[in-house]
Amino acid sequence: MSTSPPPQLPGRVRTARTVSYAVAVITLLMAAISLQAGFGDEEALRELEMTAGPVIALGVIFLVYAAAGFALAARFAKGGAGVRIGGLVWGTAGIVLGFGTGMLGLLVLAASATVVVLLVMKDSQVWFSRAQK
């Protein structure tokens, strides 16, 4: 018996995965900056007019968001409705997270909106709802 080759990842899903990885990397950078400022950069805290606690909390939020992005993007190739829904929720959270977090935040906002748009499209829906092997 011959088996058919596995279905190929659609271009829009591949693009959504690439953009998701990029957003996760940018957010990881934001986490590093926040955590560095919170754990000892007194000058940065004075410029932000904040105490260390909120800056560290924001760094942890960025870190968790980045980890979730890496995990979801890695699962795009396998598919599954839960992965798509998770990607949509993750992208929407990125849009919210991008507000008020500077220039890198605006980049996260725009890229997260792109991920949401790509995952909503019909070929993405078909990819994530196909029968799993």
Side-chain angles (χ1 to χ4, degrees), residues 2 8 11-12 14 16 18 21 37 54 56 65 80 83 87 99 104 116 120-121 123:
S2 70
Q8 202 171 19
R12 288 187 176 127
R14 194 175 21 249
T18 303
Y21 279 131
I56 292 169
Y65 182 79
V83 176
F99 283 108
L104 287 175
V116 169
V120 168
M121 294 184 165
D123 54 346

Side-chain angles (χ1 to χ4, degrees), residues 26-73:
I26 292 167
T27 311
L28 196 58
L29 175 65
M30 292 168 69
I33 292 168
S34 297
L35 291 172
Q36 180 183 6
F39 283 117
D41 192 348
E42 297 294 326
E43 185 178 326
L45 290 174
R46 275 194 302 277
E47 285 180 29
L48 292 171
E49 297 177 1
M50 296 181 77
T51 60
V55 175
I56 292 169
L58 188 60
V60 170
I61 290 169
F62 288 149
L63 193 59
V64 169
Y65 182 79
F70 283 121
L72 283 166

Side-chain angles (χ1 to χ4, degrees), residues 98-122:
F99 283 108
T101 52
M103 293 304 290
L104 287 175
L106 291 176
L107 187 57
V108 168
L109 185 150
S112 296
T114 302
V115 169
V116 169
V117 168
L118 290 168
L119 291 179
V120 168
M121 294 184 165
K122 185 68 177 168

